[in-house]
């Protein structure tokens, strides 16, 4: 996969999970979308019932702290969603300009610990054709398995950031929503890669919220 460059951390993410507030984080990395072709299509995927994923619906789909894995030293998750009345927020959250121009709503859920960090970003569109047009990257079975979650999916490496933090990223499309899930860890800290488990949970929560159900999918 292509190695990602490091963009600036989003407004909310910077306020919540910066090195100033997390001792020893060493400048954990985040990533931006990379170019490519249509993602790997998962066979037989159930689609949401067509509910428009407006700001409150998208916010409900975001995992809360109780849904995320316990991280040593974490101070609680930050969850927020925005409409598109201020496009600058969208651009600061690592989304591309053309994505922000077409987006309906976006959201972010973040959790940081002493040696681990999770960032989940969601962007919804008015229709599935638009989300398909903005989904880039290709995930191979070796990277994302033979029956991965979502309608299209891509896996990528997080490059080493300041302090040597590195990790994994998953970009997945479910219906009208594109999600970016990033899981980073400190150098020398051996942990199982949780990116795919997080992606599976996010896709299930999007299906639940999009079909009018209370999102309950969790990793706890």
């Amino acid at each position: 996969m292509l190695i990602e460059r490091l963009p600036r951390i989003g407004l909310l993410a910077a306020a919540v999970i910066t090195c100033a507030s997390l001792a020893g984080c060493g400048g954990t990395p985040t990533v931006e979308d990379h170019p490519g072709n249509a993602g790997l299509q998962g066979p037989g995927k159930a689609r949401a019932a067509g509910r428009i994923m407006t700001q409150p619906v998208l916010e409900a789909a975001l995992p809360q702290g109780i849904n995320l894995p316990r991280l040593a030293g974490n101070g609680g998750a930050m969850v927020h969603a925005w409409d598109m009345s201020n496009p600058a927020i969208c651009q600061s959250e690592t989304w591309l300009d053309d994505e922000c121009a077409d987006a309906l709503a976006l959201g972010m859920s973040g959790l940081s610990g002493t040696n681990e960090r999770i960032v989940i970003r969601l962007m919804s569109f008015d229709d599935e054709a638009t989300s398909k047009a903005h989904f880039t990257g290709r995930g191979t079975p070796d990277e994302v398995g033979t029956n991965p979650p979502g309608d299209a999916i891509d896996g990528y490496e997080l490059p080493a950031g300041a302090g040597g933090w590195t990790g994994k990223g998953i970009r997945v499309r479910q219906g009208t929503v594109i999600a970016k899930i990033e899981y980073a860890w400190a150098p020398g800290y051996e942990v199982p890669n949780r990116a795919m488990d997080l992606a599976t949970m996010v896709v299930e929560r999007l299906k639940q919220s999009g079909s009018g159900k209370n999102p309950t999918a969790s990793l706890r």
Side-chain angles (χ1 to χ4, degrees):
M1 301 304 301
L2 295 176
I3 296 298
E4 310 300 323
R5 65 179 180 83
L6 292 175
R8 60 190 183 278
I9 298 175
L11 292 176
L12 183 59
V16 178
I17 43 181
T18 60
C19 292
S21 60
L22 295 174
C25 77
T28 57
T30 183
V31 299
E32 191 170 344
D33 302 325
H34 51 84
N37 299 313
L40 181 70
Q41 301 297 316
K45 300 300 178 183
R47 298 180 181 275
R51 189 181 188 196
I52 297 176
M53 301 291 282
T54 57
Q55 177 188 351
V57 180
L58 196 69
E59 187 165 15
L62 284 164
Q64 306 291 318
I66 192 65
N67 308 125
L68 296 170
R70 290 184 176 89
L71 304 184
N74 82 77
M78 177 62 72
V79 180
H80 195 72
W82 300 266
D83 60 23
M84 294 307 299
S85 58
N86 185 356
I89 295 176
C90 179
Q91 293 165 312
S92 75
E93 287 295 320
T94 78
W95 297 101
L96 302 179
D97 290 351
D98 60 341
E99 293 172 327
C100 294
D102 288 338
L104 176 64
L106 67 148
M108 194 279 287
S109 178
L111 182 66
S112 285
T114 306
N115 295 307
E116 302 168 83
R117 190 179 86 169
I118 295 167
V119 179
I120 296 167
R121 293 183 175 91
L122 305 181
M123 174 176 277
S124 66
F125 299 91
D126 286 320
D127 52 56
E128 190 168 351
T130 307
S131 68
K132 284 183 178 180
H134 285 295
F135 191 88
T136 58
R138 173 174 296 174
T140 67
D142 287 343
E143 295 165 334
V144 296
T146 57
N147 188 30
D151 294 322
I153 193 167
D154 187 26
Y156 52 89
E157 300 283 336
L158 294 178
W165 279 64
T166 188
K168 301 286 186 179
I170 297 287
R171 179 174 164 90
V172 61
R173 183 182 66 80
Q174 176 61 36
T176 61
V177 178
I178 292 175
K180 294 188 291 186
I181 298 100
E182 298 168 7
Y183 175 54
W185 56 86
Y189 185 69
E190 295 185 6
V191 294
N193 177 20
R194 298 173 175 175
M196 185 55 68
D197 290 338
L198 289 164
T200 300
M201 177 190 64
V202 167
V203 166
E204 185 59 30
R205 291 181 67 86
L206 286 170
K207 290 179 181 179
Q208 291 171 331
S209 186
S211 60
K213 298 179 181 179
N214 185 28
T216 56
S218 176
L219 288 182
R220 293 258 186 118

